[in-house]
């Protein structure tokens, strides 16, 4: 089992966790020190998210984040991890065509990533299969995709109406068929997320997608209650009731594994 102390988490191991009904615990990190604490707390997947644009760089979106920014933080996180799988975001406009995608993914993998994540549905299918053919595991990201914030008109729940929900279900199936090894679903109604997770063989990780998925992810600084600005509904401050960061990380991992997070108050009905 992947939660055995010290056993390295791998991409096939994540699929086994889904098969055996073991919840996957994921958090973001951006530096070696936090990465080491996450690893010690038994976090299964560490995402170097382009959310670093918000929480590290203080910007109001992820759009300004560059491949160089990502590589710098992936290298730092790599040095802090032993057990967890390291997933890295492909930043905005770094995968607009095949050559750009191959270049970005190869920089991220050489920096120490074990899987890359990209946002988008059917338009990404060809790229996903080409990356996978080169031996690069890919995680999809559907629902609220922050790199599309201007097209979406803001950071809002996606897939509430039936037509968009159908597109999302079809996109999820297309990404899986193209070879994606995991899917992040952000800010979608619980029921839609539950349907997608039950239809796919690959693990579906939710953030604001309710409890009936295969795992959960949060931005680390949200989970520690230190993000500025309005707190999204799906966030719980795990520092509450804890007197250390290690305590908060352990509480998060336990709450995801025992199913007590997310509750109704963190989800979209
Ligand atoms: O960039 C990020 O941190 C993410 C998570 C919110 C899933 O994509």
């Amino acid at each position: 089992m992947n939660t055995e102390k010290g056993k390295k988490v791998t991409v096939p191991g994540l699929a086994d966790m889904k098969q055996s009904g073991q919840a996957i615990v994921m958090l973001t990190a951006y530096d070696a020190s936090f990465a080491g604490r996450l690893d010690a707390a038994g976090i299964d997947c560490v995402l170097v998210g382009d959310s670093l644009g918000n929480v590290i760089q203080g910007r109001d979106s992820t759009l300004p984040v560059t491949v160089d920014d990502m590589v710098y933080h992936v290298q730092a996180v790599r040095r802090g991890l032993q057990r967890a799988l390291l997933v890295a975001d492909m930043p905005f406009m770094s995968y607009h065509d095949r050559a750009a995608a191959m270049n970005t993914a190869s920089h991220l993998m050489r920096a120490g990533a074990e899987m890359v994540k990209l946002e988008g549905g059917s338009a990404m299918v060809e790229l996903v299969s080409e990356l996978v053919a080169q031996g690069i595991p890919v995680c999809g990201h559907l629902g609220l995709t922050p790199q599309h914030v201007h097209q979406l008109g803001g950071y809002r729940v996606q897939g509430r109406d039936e037509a968009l929900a159908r597109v999302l279900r079809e996109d999820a199936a297309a990404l899986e068929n193209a070879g994606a090894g995991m899917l992040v679903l952000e800010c979608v109604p619980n029921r839609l997320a539950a349907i997608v997770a039950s239809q796919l063989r690959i693990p579906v990780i939710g953030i604001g997608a309710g409890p009936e998925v295969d795992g959960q992810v949060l931005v680390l600084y949200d989970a520690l209650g230190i993000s500025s600005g309005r707190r999204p509904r799906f966030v719980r401050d795990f520092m509450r009731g804890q007197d250390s960061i290690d305590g908060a990380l352990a509480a998060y991992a336990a709450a995801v594994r025992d199913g007590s997070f997310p509750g109704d108050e963190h989800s979209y009905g």
Side-chain angles (χ1 to χ4, degrees):
M1 299 273 267
N2 280 300
T3 45
E4 274 173 36
K5 209 160 176 59
K7 177 134 194 268
K8 175 80 185 98
V9 180
T10 62
V11 175
L14 293 175
D16 293 345
M17 289 174 79
K18 173 166 179 145
Q19 281 267 309
S20 63
Q22 218 184 313
I24 296 167
V25 185
M26 185 165 176
L27 269 178
T28 68
Y30 315 96
D31 66 60
S33 300
F34 269 117
R37 303 321 310 161
L38 267 59
D39 220 32
I43 305 301
D44 302 307
C45 285
V46 171
L47 169 66
V48 182
D50 59 358
S51 53
L52 70 84
N54 306 96
V55 298
I56 302 289
Q57 300 175 337
R59 301 181 190 275
D60 61 5
S61 82
T62 59
L63 306 195
V65 175
T66 65
V67 175
D68 286 349
D69 292 336
M70 291 303 304
V71 165
Y72 176 85
H73 288 280
V74 169
Q75 286 171 336
V77 167
R78 176 74 276 155
R79 293 181 200 115
L81 289 186
Q82 288 179 353
R83 173 185 172 273
L85 187 90
L86 199 170
V87 184
D89 263 335
M90 306 258 275
F92 176 66
M93 285 305 285
S94 73
Y95 51 103
H96 57 284
D97 63 21
R98 184 185 186 279
M102 291 295 159
N103 188 47
T104 301
S106 63
H107 278 93
L108 295 174
M109 298 298 282
R110 288 198 177 106
E114 296 165 292
M115 178 178 240
V116 299
K117 177 164 83 60
L118 49 77
E119 299 181 8
S122 51
M124 294 299 131
V125 160
E126 222 173 291
L127 271 186
V128 170
S129 63
E130 293 189 24
L131 288 165
V132 171
Q134 297 305 319
I136 299 172
V138 179
C139 176
H141 184 156
L142 294 174
L144 171 51
T145 45
Q147 292 175 13
H148 301 98
V149 59
H150 298 302
Q151 268 176 344
L152 298 176
Y155 297 99
R156 7 185 107 116
V157 186
Q158 301 296 309
R160 276 211 155 117
D161 68 90
E162 188 37 47
L164 285 179
R166 182 158 40 79
V167 171
L168 192 145
R169 288 197 303 271
E170 289 168 1
D171 282 350
L175 289 170
E176 174 174 87
N177 290 337
M182 189 157 73
L183 176 68
V184 166
L185 270 189
E186 180 165 353
C187 282
V188 299
N190 292 7
R191 202 178 129 60
L192 174 58
I195 291 170
V196 172
S198 72
Q199 282 177 349
L200 298 193
R201 295 177 306 280
I202 59 172
V204 175
I205 311 296
I207 173 166
E212 289 176 66
V213 287
D214 307 305
Q216 301 293 330
V217 60
L218 281 179
V219 169
L220 175 64
Y221 293 8
D222 288 343
L224 297 179
I226 56 170
S227 295
S228 54
R230 196 180 63 83
R231 188 160 86 189
R233 178 183 172 90
F234 55 77
V235 169
R236 178 165 138 198
D237 175 359
F238 284 91
M239 276 306 289
R240 288 232 164 135
Q242 303 296 331
D243 55 16
S244 69
I245 286 171
D246 290 345
L249 297 175
Y252 171 68
V256 172
R257 290 194 176 114
D258 70 18
S260 57
F261 177 77
D264 287 346
E265 70 277 28
H266 307 114
S267 307
Y268 303 99

